[in-house]
């Protein structure tokens, strides 16, 4: 029995397992059965039961050199390094030299649990755990300047606009991120939009300095405020696949040391799909729409991207937005611009879905007809939460009867195509097209719905034209009435202004007359008494002719000043500031003479006839 056991052990040690999908490399190692040491049962004659070679359900790979993870901290940066335990400390420093741009000679690598080590130390000899934390000191290098720190802090507070082009569907996304966001966060957001997992994303446009997904956008060297990037799906995911928590295939490996734990096969980039010769994308088909999506527009973006990746770019143009927004676009414009609303209800679990989408919904004739005459809106009914959400929307907009009709549809009757026509008071479902149809039948139903809609549209156009004509007449009448009111108001305001001006002028005239009268009375009262005819003093008799031809006479003492004559004339209503007093022989302007001289001195004695004339 012992010889039989030795023979079987030797034969098993010659087995080799080849991984053709793992970069074409062949990994060799002994394949063991469930038991690797002889037990009490080995003494039995029947070696076929005790030592029968057990074919494993999964491939078994040889134990590779142990991989160690290091997170190295330097100032405000963290660098992740993954190395085999057969490498040296110096190799870690060379990797950090490329990442941190610090010469190896200036670098002190600290944090070893065994104390300081030199560059030639092999990691395996340090007996390190899988995950390790280290830090770098550079005592010979000056600290970063405060100006650079201030600039970085300012960049962290800025917003970057990333214009990301999805290569497969030729769609652009304009995304805003703060400078403190990391590259990893950007990639996760792009996954939500494009359904391309982070490990399958192939990027173009990142700056050379953006080598770490944990790096912030402010420190990555992006162009501010706008930077263009391109993302696509890797053509061969097996060549560049990262470690993923989704891959949970346990492949037992044989270790030379008794104390090592068994490690996961994903460390070598091998997942279940590859090990069984299946494409990983087929195993993990992305959903058409996220479950419990808060925003219908974002959900429709993912739906469109996933639809394009599955069935190609020739498909209906799906309206991106809520169902209410699709109603507004289709039904509430001008009658000539209105369209029918087509609601496509998708279901991944229906056997008709792939045929309906690829052969009917993506047919060029259907796509062209829908684009010209319909607003197309879509929803995924695969997930129960999304199904319940659509039924709620359906009840609100179409009524409980339509909602119940859709609720009773079986899975294999999907996809459904609902043709909706908007009416004045409600929305009418013209047709419900199930997935078991043909291109010709689908086109005929679309055309039949279009005929009904066209007849209704012509009536709506006629009603709208008549309503616009009535509104135009009413607007013209309102405008004429407004103009008439404006003219009447302007005329009334002009009259009021004229009356106000007349009243103002009248008030001024009255005030001036009252002022003149007051002056006249004061001058009249101030005049000296007129000398009597029998006066013994020299008397001058003056006869004054007014502009109207009237005369008035008065006697003055010859010794009286000329000003007394002026005051007398002013007391009669002819102020000497407005009239001049002219003599006859010789003709002279008496008002130009010195008013302080006596009448005798100005030769107005014994008598004189004077004329009043208005000044120019």
């Amino acid at each position: 029995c012992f010889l039989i056991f030795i023979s079987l052990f030797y034969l098993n040690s010659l087995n080799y397992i080849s991984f053709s999908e793992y970069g074409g490399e062949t990994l060799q190692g002994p394949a063991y059965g469930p038991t690797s040491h002889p037990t009490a049962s080995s003494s039995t004659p029947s070696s076929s039961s005790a030592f029968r070679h057990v074919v494993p359900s999964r491939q078994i790979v040889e134990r590779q050199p142990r991989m160690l993870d290091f997170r190295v901290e330097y100032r405000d940066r963290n660098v992740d390094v993954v190395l085999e335990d057969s490498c040296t400390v110096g190799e870690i420093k060379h990797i950090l030299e490329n990442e941190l741009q610090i010469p190896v000679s200036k670098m002190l690598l600290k944090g070893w649990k065994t104390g300081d080590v030199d560059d030639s130390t092999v990691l395996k000899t340090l007996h390190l755990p899988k995950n390790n934390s280290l830090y770098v000191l550079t005592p010979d290098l000056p600290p970063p300047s405060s100006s650079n720190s201030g600039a970085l802090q300012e960049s962290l507070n800025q917003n970057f606009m990333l214009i990301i082009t999805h290569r497969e569907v030729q769609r652009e996304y304009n995304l805003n991120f703060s400078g403190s966001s990391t590259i990893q966060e950007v990639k996760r957001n792009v996954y939500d939009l494009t359904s391309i997992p982070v490990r399958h994303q192939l990027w173009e446009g990142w700056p050379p300095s953006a080598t770490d997904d944990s790096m912030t956008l402010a420190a990555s060297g992006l162009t501010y405020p706008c930077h263009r990037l391109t993302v696509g799906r890797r053509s061969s995911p097996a060549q560049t696949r990262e470690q993923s928590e989704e891959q949970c295939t346990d492949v037992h490996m044989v270790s030379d040391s008794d104390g090592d734990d068994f490690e996961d096969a994903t460390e070598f980039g091998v997942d279940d799909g590859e090990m069984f010769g299946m494409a990983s994308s087929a195993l993990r088909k992305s959903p058409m729409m996220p479950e419990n999506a808060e925003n219908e527009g974002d959900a429709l973006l993912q739906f469109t991207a996933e639809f394009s990746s599955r069935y190609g770019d020739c498909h209906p143009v799906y309206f991106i937005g809520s169902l209410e927004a699709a109603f507004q676009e289709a039904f509430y414009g001008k009658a000539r611009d209105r369209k029918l609303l087509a609601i496509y209800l998708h279901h991944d679990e229906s056997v008709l879905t792939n045929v309906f989408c690829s052969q009917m919904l993506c047919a060029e004739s259907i796509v062209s007809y829908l684009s010209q005459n319909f607003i197309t809106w879509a929803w995924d009914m695969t997930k129960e939460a999304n199904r319940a959400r659509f039924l709620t929307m359906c009840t609100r907009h179409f009524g409980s009867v339509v909602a119940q009709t859709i609720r009773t549809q079986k899975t294999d009757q999907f996809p459904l195509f609902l043709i909706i026509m908007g009416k004045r008071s409600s929305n009418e479902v013209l047709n419900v097209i199930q997935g078991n149809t043909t291109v010709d039948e689908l086109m005929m139903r679309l055309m039949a719905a279009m005929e009904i809609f066209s007849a209704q549209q012509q009536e709506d156009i006629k009603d709208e034209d008549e309503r616009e004509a009535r509104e135009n007449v009413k607007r013209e009448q309102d405008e004429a009435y407004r103009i008439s009111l404006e003219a009447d108001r302007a005329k009334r305001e002009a009259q009021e202004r004229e009356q106000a001006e007349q009243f103002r002028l009248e008030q001024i005239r009255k005030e001036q007359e009252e002022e003149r009268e007051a002056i006249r009375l004061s001058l009249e009262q101030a005049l000296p008494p007129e000398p009597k005819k029998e006066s013994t003093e020299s008397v001058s008799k003056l006869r004054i002719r007014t502009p109207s031809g009237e005369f008035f006479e008065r006697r003055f003492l010859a010794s009286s000043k000329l000003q007394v004559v002026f005051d007398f004339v002013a007391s009669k209503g002819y102020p000497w500031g407005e009239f001049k007093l002219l003599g006859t022989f010789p003709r002279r302007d008496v008002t130009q003479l010195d008013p302080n001289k006596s009448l005798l001195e100005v030769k107005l004695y014994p008598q004189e006839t004077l004329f009043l004339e208005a000044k120019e």
Side-chain angles (χ1 to χ4, degrees):
C1 292
F2 180 77
L3 291 176
I4 293 173
F5 171 76
I6 295 300
S7 300
L8 289 173
F9 183 85
Y10 178 75
L11 290 175
N12 286 339
S13 66
L14 297 179
N15 288 336
Y16 295 90
I17 297 175
S18 174
F19 289 83
S20 60
E21 293 182 6
Y22 186 65
E25 184 180 3
T26 301
L27 301 177
Q28 299 179 355
Y32 290 84
T35 59
S36 59
H37 298 284
T39 62
S41 63
S42 63
S43 62
T44 61
S46 179
S47 62
S48 60
S49 61
F51 302 101
R52 181 177 62 237
H53 178 69
V54 180
V55 179
S57 60
R58 298 183 181 179
Q59 292 176 318
I60 303 174
V61 296
E62 183 190 17
R63 168 70 172 149
Q64 292 293 307
R66 190 160 172 261
M67 306 300 293
L68 300 178
D69 294 340
F70 296 91
R71 168 151 287 199
V72 183
E73 181 180 352
Y74 176 66
R75 291 179 179 170
D76 59 346
R77 288 193 59 186
N78 289 319
V79 179
D80 292 327
V81 180
V82 180
L83 286 175
E84 298 177 356
D85 59 1
S86 59
C87 297
T88 64
V89 174
E91 293 180 54
I92 298 180
K93 289 188 176 182
H94 282 293
I95 294 175
L96 295 176
E97 180 181 27
N98 295 330
E99 292 290 335
L100 303 176
Q101 304 299 317
I102 300 173
V104 174
S105 59
K106 305 287 186 182
M107 185 187 307
L108 297 179
L109 192 56
K110 299 291 186 177
W112 304 103
K113 295 184 173 153
T114 57
D116 291 342
V117 297
D118 55 28
D119 291 356
S120 61
T121 302
V122 179
L123 300 177
K124 183 184 295 185
T125 63
L126 300 176
H127 304 290
L128 300 171
K130 181 173 178 59
N131 297 312
N132 303 271
S133 297
L134 303 175
Y135 60 92
V136 172
L137 298 179
T138 53
D140 297 335
L141 296 180
S145 63
S146 60
S147 60
N148 292 338
S149 300
L152 179 59
Q153 185 61 37
E154 183 179 354
S155 299
L156 289 173
N157 297 328
Q158 291 174 338
N159 286 330
F160 290 81
M161 167 70 78
L162 299 185
I163 304 176
I164 301 175
T165 303
H166 186 185
R167 187 185 302 109
E168 282 79 9
V169 300
Q170 291 299 308
R171 179 183 293 277
E172 280 192 355
Y173 303 102
N174 296 332
L175 306 179
N176 280 303
F177 292 93
S178 66
S180 59
S181 301
T182 63
I183 297 175
Q184 182 71 17
E185 292 175 11
V186 175
K187 292 183 177 181
R188 288 174 181 170
N189 277 271
V190 170
Y191 165 63
D192 293 337
L193 294 175
T194 64
S195 300
I196 303 176
V198 174
R199 63 184 180 279
H200 294 163
Q201 292 174 6
L202 185 61
W203 287 88
E204 295 178 4
W206 288 107
S209 58
T211 57
D212 187 358
D213 283 359
S214 63
M215 183 181 295
T216 63
L217 299 185
S220 64
L222 292 177
T223 304
Y224 179 78
C226 182
H227 191 90
R228 285 189 171 272
L229 298 169
T230 303
V231 66
R233 186 183 291 273
R234 294 184 188 275
S235 58
S236 180
Q239 297 177 0
T240 55
R241 181 172 292 114
E242 303 172 0
Q243 295 184 6
S244 172
E245 295 179 358
E246 297 175 3
Q247 300 170 334
C248 57
T249 304
D250 292 329
V251 179
H252 296 288
M253 293 180 255
V254 179
S255 174
D256 293 337
S257 60
D258 294 337
D260 289 341
D261 296 333
F262 293 122
E263 299 182 4
D264 193 84
T266 55
E267 290 189 9
F268 305 98
V270 182
D271 63 9
D272 286 345
E274 292 175 344
M275 294 177 67
F276 290 94
M278 290 184 267
S280 61
S281 61
L283 294 176
R284 295 186 301 271
K285 183 166 63 174
S286 299
M288 294 295 291
M289 186 175 289
E291 191 171 6
N292 294 321
E294 295 181 1
N295 185 284
E296 295 176 21
D298 294 341
L300 266 296
L301 278 175
Q302 177 172 328
F303 185 96
T304 302
E306 183 64 24
F307 195 96
S308 299
S309 66
R310 292 189 190 182
Y311 307 110
D313 294 333
C314 181
H315 60 75
V317 179
Y318 296 115
F319 181 84
I320 305 300
S322 64
L323 184 58
E324 289 82 356
F327 287 157
Q328 292 289 336
E329 183 74 14
F331 304 149
Y332 297 108
K334 289 192 174 182
R336 288 178 173 82
D337 300 331
R338 294 173 191 164
K339 293 184 178 181
L340 286 170
L341 177 63
I343 299 180
Y344 169 62
L345 300 180
H346 185 88
H347 204 302
D348 271 336
E349 296 178 3
S350 172
V351 296
L352 302 174
T353 296
N354 285 332
V355 175
F356 183 85
C357 292
S358 59
Q359 297 184 12
M360 278 158 278
L361 199 56
C362 293
E364 291 186 5
S365 58
I366 299 296
V367 172
S368 176
Y369 195 77
L370 287 174
S371 300
Q372 293 176 7
N373 303 293
F374 290 78
I375 298 294
T376 307
W377 191 81
W379 196 256
D380 183 19
M381 304 286 282
T382 308
K383 302 292 185 181
E384 185 60 33
N386 292 339
R387 175 187 177 90
R389 183 171 179 176
F390 178 78
L391 290 175
T392 301
M393 291 188 289
C394 188
T395 303
R396 183 167 67 250
H397 295 294
F398 310 128
S400 59
V401 176
V402 177
Q404 182 63 25
T405 301
I406 297 174
R407 184 180 289 107
T408 56
Q409 297 291 321
K410 297 180 180 179
T411 300
D412 290 340
Q413 293 176 315
F414 281 85
L416 297 180
F417 218 59
L418 277 63
I419 309 300
I420 315 296
M421 182 175 71
K423 286 195 171 184
R424 296 178 181 87
S425 58
S426 62
N427 302 315
E428 179 181 353
V429 180
L430 295 181
N431 209 335
V432 178
I433 304 173
Q434 296 180 349
N436 56 345
T437 184
T438 63
V439 174
D440 293 339
E441 185 178 356
L442 177 59
M443 179 61 77
M444 288 178 59
R445 292 194 177 187
L446 293 178
M447 294 176 66
M450 193 63 197
E451 288 180 2
I452 299 174
F453 171 73
S454 297
Q456 180 65 45
Q457 187 181 34
Q458 293 302 318
E459 294 181 6
D460 293 342
I461 291 174
K462 181 180 178 181
D463 293 343
E464 188 176 76
D465 290 343
E466 293 176 353
R467 183 171 61 255
E468 288 184 354
R470 291 193 300 269
E471 290 177 354
N472 287 335
V473 172
K474 185 176 182 301
R475 279 196 297 270
E476 291 175 358
Q477 293 174 345
D478 292 344
E479 182 66 16
Y481 179 69
R482 186 188 64 80
I483 293 175
S484 175
L485 289 179
E486 287 289 335
D488 292 342
R489 184 172 61 84
K491 183 178 180 181
R492 184 173 61 255
E493 289 178 353
Q495 292 176 349
E496 291 175 354
R497 286 195 300 270
E498 182 179 358
Q499 292 175 358
E501 182 66 17
Q502 291 178 354
F503 178 77
R504 187 183 67 83
L505 295 176
E506 183 67 21
Q507 288 293 109
I508 293 174
R509 187 183 63 80
K510 288 181 178 181
E511 291 175 359
Q512 290 176 347
E513 289 182 354
E514 290 176 356
E515 184 179 1
R516 285 183 180 181
E517 181 64 19
I519 295 173
R520 189 188 67 79
L521 291 175
S522 64
L523 292 176
E524 186 176 26
Q525 293 174 1
L527 286 175
E530 184 179 5
K532 296 181 179 181
K533 292 181 180 180
E534 59 274 9
S535 176
T536 58
E537 297 182 31
S538 299
V539 175
S540 177
K541 182 180 180 181
L542 298 182
R543 190 166 185 265
I544 301 172
R545 186 176 183 272
T546 65
S548 62
E550 297 179 359
F551 288 91
F552 49 85
E553 297 178 354
R554 192 178 190 282
R555 293 182 296 274
F556 300 89
L557 295 174
S559 59
S560 297
K561 294 181 179 180
L562 184 59
Q563 183 64 50
V564 176
V565 178
F566 294 158
D567 292 342
F568 169 74
V569 173
S571 68
K572 297 298 183 182
Y574 301 95
W576 69 291
E578 300 177 10
F579 294 87
K580 52 186 178 181
L581 199 58
L582 304 177
T584 53
F585 300 104
R587 184 177 176 85
R588 56 177 179 164
D589 187 356
V590 176
T591 54
Q592 297 296 324
L593 301 178
D594 186 0
N596 293 320
K597 290 185 177 182
S598 65
L599 299 182
L600 184 62
E601 292 174 337
V602 296
K603 299 180 180 179
L604 293 179
Y605 175 79
Q607 61 181 12
E608 186 71 33
T609 300
L610 302 175
F611 297 89
L612 283 172
E613 184 177 301
K615 291 183 178 180
E616 295 180 358

